[in-house]
């Protein structure tokens, strides 16, 4: 998700179409957990969201994108450093997704500060989990996420947790899983997250990755909102089953720290998503 000053190298793959969006459905999230000193995995933790999409799209950044219609928002991780959330709110941001966890060992060291300060600045915010499907089961990662920032409360400001499932930054695009195994992993994560929180998670992905690694399944479109990543003047083709996106990550830099997002609806609909109401 969140963009940063770095760029991943050594694993770029030619991709021409990237897209991913959040559709109809609602999901949930939680109150800040205390940040812990990160316990890095085998690789140094990086800010994948946004940077991986940009790398696969081979965007040059020569022509700045114009913000699409919708409520403006952002997603961030510790790569953005200390964020003045009051300034972000004053610049027009309405919502934010904030990195909480990765795999079953890593907690973003800035999560608690970002999650708490975004709340007090008045943003509707949620946590996201960067999936590592090769390292442990979907259920195990959902449990870890729910216990370390990804839970949910009906307080008008907590979005459902987001599953960031995308290009592997450290190896095979699909983490060495077959399409059937990837679908099973995602199902395991989503079902366990729902059991723990009562909410269906938002799915962040790209159309290219989703087609390549899940076979473009439509199995989750009826429950899980879609957050699509596509850095272009149009959102493009969405993954199968989703008739519209809920969130569009349209750029990896701009007015706000991190990646630039829009919510596809009014502020009332944003609150409805947060509170799991019709």
């Amino acid at each position: 998700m969140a963009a940063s000053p770095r760029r991943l190298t050594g694993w770029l793959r030619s991709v021409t179409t990237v897209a991913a969006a959040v559709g109809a459905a609602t999901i949930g999230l939680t109150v800040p957990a205390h940040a812990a000193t990160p316990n890095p995995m085998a690789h140094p933790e990086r800010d994948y969201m946004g940077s991986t999409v940009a790398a696969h799209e081979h965007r040059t950044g020569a022509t700045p994108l114009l913000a699409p219609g919708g409520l403006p928002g952002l997603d961030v991780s510790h790569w953005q450093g200390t964020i003045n959330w009051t300034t972000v709110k004053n610049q027009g941001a309405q919502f934010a997704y904030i990195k909480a966890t990765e795999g079953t060992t890593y907690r973003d060291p800035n999560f608690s500060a970002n999650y708490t300060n975004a709340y007090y600045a008045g943003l509707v915010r949620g946590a996201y989990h960067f999936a590592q499907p090769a390292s442990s089961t979907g259920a195990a990662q959902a449990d870890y996420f729910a216990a370390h920032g990804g839970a949910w409360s009906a307080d008008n400001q907590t979005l459902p947790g987001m599953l960031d499932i995308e290009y592997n930054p450290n190896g095979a695009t699909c983490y060495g899983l077959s399409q059937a195994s990837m679908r099973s992993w995602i199902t395991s994560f989503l079902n366990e997250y729902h059991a723990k929180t009562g909410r269906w998670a938002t799915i962040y992905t790209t159309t290219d990755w989703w087609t390549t690694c899940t076979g473009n399944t439509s199995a989750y479109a009826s429950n899980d909102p879609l957050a699509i990543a596509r850095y272009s003047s149009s959102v493009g083709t969405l993954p199968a089953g989703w008739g519209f996106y809920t969130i569009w990550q349209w750029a990896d830099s701009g007015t706000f720290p991190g990646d630039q997002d829009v919510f596809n609806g009014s502020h009332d609909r944003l609150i409805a998503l947060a509170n799991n109401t019709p």
Side-chain angles (χ1 to χ4, degrees), residues 26-29 97 126-127 152 158-162 193 199-200 202 273-274:
T26 46
I27 38 180
L29 209 39
Y97 266 105
W152 176 76
T158 302
L159 291 166
M162 178 181 282
Y193 183 80
R199 299 298 306 273
W200 291 106
T202 300
L273 174 62

Side-chain angles (χ1 to χ4, degrees), residues 73-246:
L74 64 156
D75 59 74
V76 299
S77 75
H78 76 275
W79 287 102
Q80 278 65 58
T82 301
I83 296 172
N84 187 323
W85 286 98
T86 299
T87 297
V88 170
K89 174 67 171 176
N90 290 340
Q91 289 173 324
Q94 301 296 304
F95 71 96
Y97 266 105
I98 298 164
K99 182 170 184 178
T101 54
E102 177 177 342
T104 56
T105 60
Y106 183 84
R107 299 175 65 185
D108 189 289
N110 285 19
F111 171 71
S112 188
N114 281 332
Y115 204 62
T116 302
N117 292 335
Y119 178 90
Y120 286 118
L123 278 79
V124 180
R125 86 286 187 255
Y128 78 85
H129 173 82
F130 188 88
Q132 289 284 357
S135 67
S136 54
T137 66
Q141 292 192 31
D143 286 342
Y144 187 76
F145 177 45
H148 296 95
W152 176 76
S153 57
D155 58 6
N156 295 313
Q157 285 183 243
T158 302
L159 291 166
M162 178 181 282
L163 172 63
D164 179 356
I165 185 87
E166 54 167 295
Y167 305 102
N168 180 3
N170 300 290
T173 296
C174 302
Y175 301 84
L177 273 62
S178 67
Q179 291 177 343
S181 294
M182 184 63 75
R183 292 193 296 269
S184 294
W185 192 96
I186 293 170
T187 298
S188 174
F189 182 99
L190 297 174
N191 286 348
E192 182 69 6
Y193 183 80
H194 184 263
K196 291 291 185 182
T197 67
R199 299 298 306 273
W200 291 106
T202 300
I203 296 174
Y204 167 96
T205 193
T206 74
T207 298
D208 173 76
W209 186 92
W210 193 259
T211 300
T212 300
C213 298
T214 77
N216 202 24
T217 180
S218 61
Y220 314 112
S222 61
N223 288 327
D224 301 274
L226 178 63
I228 183 140
R230 178 174 168 83
Y231 305 159
S232 180
S233 58
S234 68
V235 76
T237 301
L238 303 181
W242 282 283
F244 61 92
Y245 64 88
T246 297

